Amino acid sequence: MKINLRLIFFSVFLFLLFSCSQNRPKYEQLLGTICVVNLYEDGKEEYYNEIFARLEEIDHEFGTDKMYSDISRINARADVEPVTVGDDVFKVIETALKICELTDGAFDISIEPAVNLWLINSAAPHIATQEEIDNILPLIDYKNIVLNPVNNSVYFRKEGMRIDLGGIAKGYAADEVAKICRAHKIRRAVIDLGGNIYVYGKKKKNELWNVGIKNPEEPDNMPLLKVELPQTSVVTSGIYERFFMRDEKFYHHILSPASGYPVDNELSSVTVICDNSMLADGLTTAFFVMGTEKSVKLIPYIEKKFNTKISALFFRKDKQIVLSDKFSYEYTVLYDNWTVKS
Ligand code: AMP
Ligand code: MG
């Protein structure tokens, strides 16, 4: 009897341990956000360690708060001489520059002087004056960024230029985590790097993933829409992510490279669905700046250039949702006061 009780106790303990350690996501604060990864039944400690070590490495290379990160070294010196960087940062800048070009500068990684002027991501944001903006606008032009693939170097043609990869780096990190999943033949995973989502593998017996997309007007409430997806990445950029209010005016973190001000158009948020999470990330920011119509028209061209499928949802301030042409995924809108514009 005594032994049996012990056995039962031990089995229950094992069961709890098993059910607790497996299928539970792991998270860490990195890349300026909370990174959550769930490997479900393949969630071995060593795989999680490998994934978070890789995310830490990316955080070190891209961190603007780290003195010797590649980005800090670029921003301190690339306007004087070419700065050699690691493969990760070089690859991201290379892709970012393609997106800058394809979006005709709506996405522009040389936006940093404007980001640094408004400080919208900080505890002490500042309302920039027109004079301050006029001073930094000449520094914003991705065409003055020169890459040399022979020695992985970055050079700025203009003194005072700086770059900001905040609009694309998390997408790259999500792709890198998906790569590790592939290498270990992990069957299914959800990678969520602060809204940069990658649903990997199959949910269960050929079931699709149900991904919820935030309501930009009520981001802490239930999702605005859910969409059924196979393995892919889903990235959203919205005005609710980082913003501040002053004198009843709303200032958010997506800036127009042309005016230097937070973008003020018909949009509240944009979601891009694409297997390439780095591309999806760059495009959400770019599409937000470009607005609905221009973005929808440009998608087929970008699909050709990157040889990949791109779908997008545009959430407008008038509570209309616009889908990109040939949007093929099943979706459900969960709020009565929002409609899909056809
Ligand atoms: P996301 O949340 O992906 O849209 O990225 C927004 C972040 O990208 C901001 O916090 C800035 O660091 C940076 N950013 C803002 N405006 C732009 C822009 N027009 N082009 C490129 N990066 C931008
Ligand atoms: Mg982005």
Side-chain angles (χ1 to χ4, degrees):
M1 185 67 183
K2 214 173 174 185
I3 290 171
N4 271 351
L5 267 178
R6 263 196 202 155
L7 255 179
I8 290 166
F9 176 75
F10 188 57
S11 322
V12 169
F13 173 72
L14 269 186
F15 170 76
L16 283 176
L17 190 73
F18 184 78
S19 54
C20 290
S21 65
Q22 298 222 342
N23 297 346
R24 261 181 52 184
K26 299 245 161 147
Y27 54 91
E28 252 180 66
Q29 187 147 8
L30 289 164
L31 308 167
T33 188
I34 306 218
C35 298
V36 189
V37 178
N38 195 342
L39 304 178
Y40 295 91
E41 54 274 80
D42 294 326
K44 284 190 198 165
E45 205 59 34
E46 59 182 280
Y47 296 159
Y48 279 116
N49 290 343
E50 186 178 340
I51 287 169
F52 281 101
R54 180 72 178 117
L55 288 174
E56 254 168 61
E57 183 178 36
I58 294 172
D59 188 55
H60 274 282
E61 293 165 337
F62 288 78
T64 45
D65 54 336
K66 295 170 181 74
M67 219 170 145
Y68 298 106
S69 73
D70 281 352
I71 298 300
S72 297
R73 290 190 306 107
I74 291 172
N75 283 342
R77 197 90 194 129
D79 59 348
V80 178
E81 62 186 353
V83 172
T84 296
V85 295
D87 285 342
D88 287 328
V89 167
F90 195 80
K91 269 192 267 179
V92 174
I93 299 179
E94 241 177 356
T95 306
L97 288 180
K98 269 193 208 163
I99 300 172
C100 296
E101 213 178 302
L102 288 169
T103 62
D104 200 15
F107 188 72
D108 192 329
I109 55 169
S110 68
I111 194 82
E112 202 277 348
V115 173
N116 200 32
L117 181 59
W118 288 94
L119 293 171
I120 285 167
N121 298 343
S122 80
H126 163 72
I127 297 179
T129 64
Q130 190 58 52
E131 197 186 345
E132 287 172 324
I133 288 175
D134 290 343
N135 285 338
I136 54 104
L137 274 184
L139 300 174
I140 303 174
D141 187 354
Y142 68 92
K143 289 182 191 130
N144 288 327
I145 301 171
V146 185
L147 295 187
N148 184 349
V150 175
N151 62 353
N152 264 19
S153 72
V154 186
Y155 175 65
F156 299 149
R157 285 206 189 99
K158 218 171 209 172
E159 198 187 332
M161 279 182 73
R162 292 163 64 93
I163 53 167
D164 179 319
L165 299 179
I168 189 168
K170 280 187 283 172
Y172 177 69
D175 286 332
E176 288 302 291
V177 176
K179 229 191 234 176
I180 295 174
C181 292
R182 207 167 301 127
H184 293 300
K185 299 193 168 61
I186 281 165
R187 282 165 285 180
R188 57 195 182 112
V190 172
I191 303 151
D192 181 353
L193 311 183
N196 244 90
I197 294 167
Y198 208 119
V199 283
Y200 183 87
K202 292 207 170 98
K203 190 182 166 196
K204 240 181 219 173
K205 290 186 201 144
N206 296 335
E207 264 179 47
L208 293 172
W209 296 96
N210 251 317
V211 179
I213 295 172
K214 278 188 178 172
N215 183 338
E217 291 179 3
E218 299 174 55
D220 299 325
N221 229 323
M222 70 166 180
L224 169 51
L225 181 146
K226 66 178 185 169
V227 55
E228 290 179 34
L229 296 171
Q231 174 175 306
T232 194
S233 177
V234 188
V235 184
T236 302
S237 275
I239 52 176
Y240 58 86
E241 284 173 284
R242 288 167 190 167
F243 64 91
F244 72 96
M245 300 276 295
R246 189 84 50 89
D247 299 330
E248 290 178 26
K249 272 193 95 176
F250 186 87
Y251 301 89
H252 65 88
H253 73 313
I254 303 170
L255 306 174
S256 156
S259 72
Y261 281 86
V263 172
D264 186 12
N265 59 15
E266 79 286 3
L267 288 166
S268 293
S269 71
V270 177
T271 298
V272 172
I273 301 167
C274 174
D275 291 359
N276 178 339
S277 191
M278 169 163 48
L279 177 60
D281 191 2
L283 289 181
T284 55
T285 315
F287 288 170
F288 197 99
V289 178
M290 288 164 59
T292 314
E293 260 178 58
K294 263 191 173 176
S295 305
V296 169
K297 277 192 195 136
L298 191 66
I299 286 176
Y301 185 63
I302 303 178
E303 283 182 314
K304 254 190 223 146
K305 287 281 172 188
F306 276 87
N307 192 25
T308 189
K309 177 177 169 175
I310 298 164
S311 307
L313 300 115
F314 300 85
F315 299 94
R316 300 183 354 175
K317 287 174 184 153
D318 63 4
K319 292 193 170 53
Q320 299 223 34
I321 305 165
V322 178
L323 308 179
S324 55
D325 297 340
K326 298 186 200 147
F327 190 91
S328 60
Y329 304 111
E330 294 287 324
Y331 61 87
T332 315
V333 180
L334 302 172
Y335 285 73
D336 291 342
N337 54 348
W338 282 76
T339 51
V340 175
K341 190 171 180 259
S342 46

Short mmCIF file of all heavy atoms in Angstrom, two decimals, residues 107 166-168 235 237 280-285, ligand 2:
data_model
loop_
_atom_site.label_atom_id
_atom_site.label_comp_id
_atom_site.label_asym_id
_atom_site.label_seq_id
_atom_site.Cartn_x
_atom_site.Cartn_y
_atom_site.Cartn_z
N PHE A 107 10.23 53.18 -46.81
CA PHE A 107 11.05 52.54 -45.79
C PHE A 107 12.45 53.11 -45.98
O PHE A 107 12.98 53.10 -47.08
CB PHE A 107 11.04 51.02 -46.01
CG PHE A 107 11.71 50.24 -44.91
CD1 PHE A 107 11.11 50.13 -43.67
CD2 PHE A 107 12.93 49.62 -45.11
CE1 PHE A 107 11.71 49.41 -42.64
CE2 PHE A 107 13.54 48.90 -44.09
CZ PHE A 107 12.93 48.79 -42.86
N GLY A 166 15.26 49.11 -36.47
CA GLY A 166 14.10 48.74 -35.64
C GLY A 166 12.90 48.27 -36.44
O GLY A 166 12.04 47.56 -35.93
N GLY A 167 12.84 48.66 -37.70
CA GLY A 167 11.69 48.28 -38.54
C GLY A 167 11.86 46.96 -39.25
O GLY A 167 10.96 46.53 -39.99
N ILE A 168 12.99 46.26 -39.04
CA ILE A 168 13.24 45.03 -39.81
C ILE A 168 13.98 43.93 -39.04
O ILE A 168 13.85 42.75 -39.36
CB ILE A 168 14.01 45.39 -41.12
CG1 ILE A 168 14.10 44.19 -42.06
CG2 ILE A 168 15.39 45.97 -40.83
CD1 ILE A 168 14.56 44.52 -43.45
N VAL A 235 3.30 39.60 -39.58
CA VAL A 235 3.88 40.75 -38.88
C VAL A 235 2.92 41.94 -38.95
O VAL A 235 2.34 42.21 -40.00
CB VAL A 235 5.24 41.14 -39.52
CG1 VAL A 235 5.90 42.27 -38.74
CG2 VAL A 235 6.18 39.94 -39.56
N SER A 237 2.38 46.14 -37.94
CA SER A 237 2.88 47.44 -37.48
C SER A 237 1.69 48.34 -37.24
O SER A 237 0.86 48.49 -38.13
CB SER A 237 3.70 48.13 -38.58
OG SER A 237 5.01 47.70 -38.56
N ALA A 280 8.57 40.64 -44.45
CA ALA A 280 7.27 41.02 -43.89
C ALA A 280 7.43 42.20 -42.93
O ALA A 280 6.64 43.15 -42.96
CB ALA A 280 6.63 39.83 -43.18
N ASP A 281 8.45 42.15 -42.10
CA ASP A 281 8.67 43.20 -41.12
C ASP A 281 8.96 44.54 -41.81
O ASP A 281 8.33 45.56 -41.53
CB ASP A 281 9.84 42.80 -40.19
CG ASP A 281 9.96 43.70 -38.97
OD1 ASP A 281 9.12 44.60 -38.81
OD2 ASP A 281 10.90 43.51 -38.19
N GLY A 282 9.90 44.51 -42.74
CA GLY A 282 10.23 45.75 -43.46
C GLY A 282 9.01 46.30 -44.18
O GLY A 282 8.75 47.51 -44.18
N LEU A 283 8.22 45.38 -44.76
CA LEU A 283 7.06 45.84 -45.54
C LEU A 283 5.93 46.41 -44.69
O LEU A 283 5.25 47.34 -45.12
CB LEU A 283 6.52 44.70 -46.41
CG LEU A 283 7.40 44.30 -47.60
CD1 LEU A 283 6.75 43.17 -48.39
CD2 LEU A 283 7.69 45.49 -48.52
N THR A 284 5.74 45.89 -43.47
CA THR A 284 4.67 46.47 -42.64
C THR A 284 4.95 47.95 -42.39
O THR A 284 4.06 48.79 -42.50
CB THR A 284 4.52 45.76 -41.28
OG1 THR A 284 5.76 45.77 -40.61
CG2 THR A 284 4.00 44.36 -41.42
N THR A 285 6.22 48.24 -42.09
CA THR A 285 6.59 49.63 -41.83
C THR A 285 6.44 50.46 -43.11
O THR A 285 5.87 51.56 -43.10
CB THR A 285 8.04 49.69 -41.29
OG1 THR A 285 8.19 48.67 -40.31
CG2 THR A 285 8.37 51.04 -40.70
MG MG B 2 8.50 46.55 -39.54
#
